[in-house]
């Protein structure tokens, strides 16, 4: 049993100023976040594109992360 929301961690990329983390379920994007460190703690519930989400037991989620350099405003 999990005590709380998961923390996603990845290897730091040299020169990365931020990262783009995306969470998907069955090919549908449920979350896009822009942390400045190589980790991201999910909340119990969150909103994305106007919809409310929460992790569901027994489902297989996929997450991906990309490093970014420079001002994040250039990546939006």
């Amino acid at each position: 049993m999990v005590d709380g929301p998961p923390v996603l961690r990845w290897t730091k990329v040299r020169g990365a100023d931020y990262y783009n983390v995306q969470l998907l379920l069955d090919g549908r994007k449920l979350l896009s976040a822009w942390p400045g460190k190589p980790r991201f703690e999910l909340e119990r519930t969150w909103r994305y594109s106007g919809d409310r989400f929460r992790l569901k037991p027994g489902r297989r989620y996929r997450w991906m992360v990309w490093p970014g350099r420079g001002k994040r405003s250039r990546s939006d």
Side-chain angles (χ1 to χ4, degrees):
M1 180 173 194
V2 177
D3 259 352
V7 177
L8 307 177
R9 299 176 195 270
W10 54 92
T11 302
K12 182 178 180 177
V13 175
R14 185 183 305 194
D17 297 308
Y18 56 87
Y19 300 88
N20 176 230
V21 179
Q22 295 184 6
L23 180 70
L24 298 98
L25 177 63
D26 298 328
R28 180 180 178 203
K29 191 186 318 182
L30 307 179
L31 173 98
S32 186
W34 300 88
K37 296 183 179 182
R39 67 186 302 278
F40 180 74
E41 184 172 348
L42 287 165
E43 300 289 333
R44 289 193 182 278
T45 63
W46 67 90
R47 295 185 79 76
Y48 179 73
S49 290
D51 295 321
R52 185 182 263 328
F53 295 98
R54 76 174 356 176
L55 295 177
K56 297 177 184 172
R59 303 300 307 262
R60 180 169 275 181
Y61 295 85
R62 175 175 290 193
W63 62 279
M64 300 180 287
V65 61
W66 294 270
R69 293 184 173 90
K71 291 187 178 186
R72 191 179 76 78
S73 60
R74 294 180 54 202
S75 301
D76 288 341

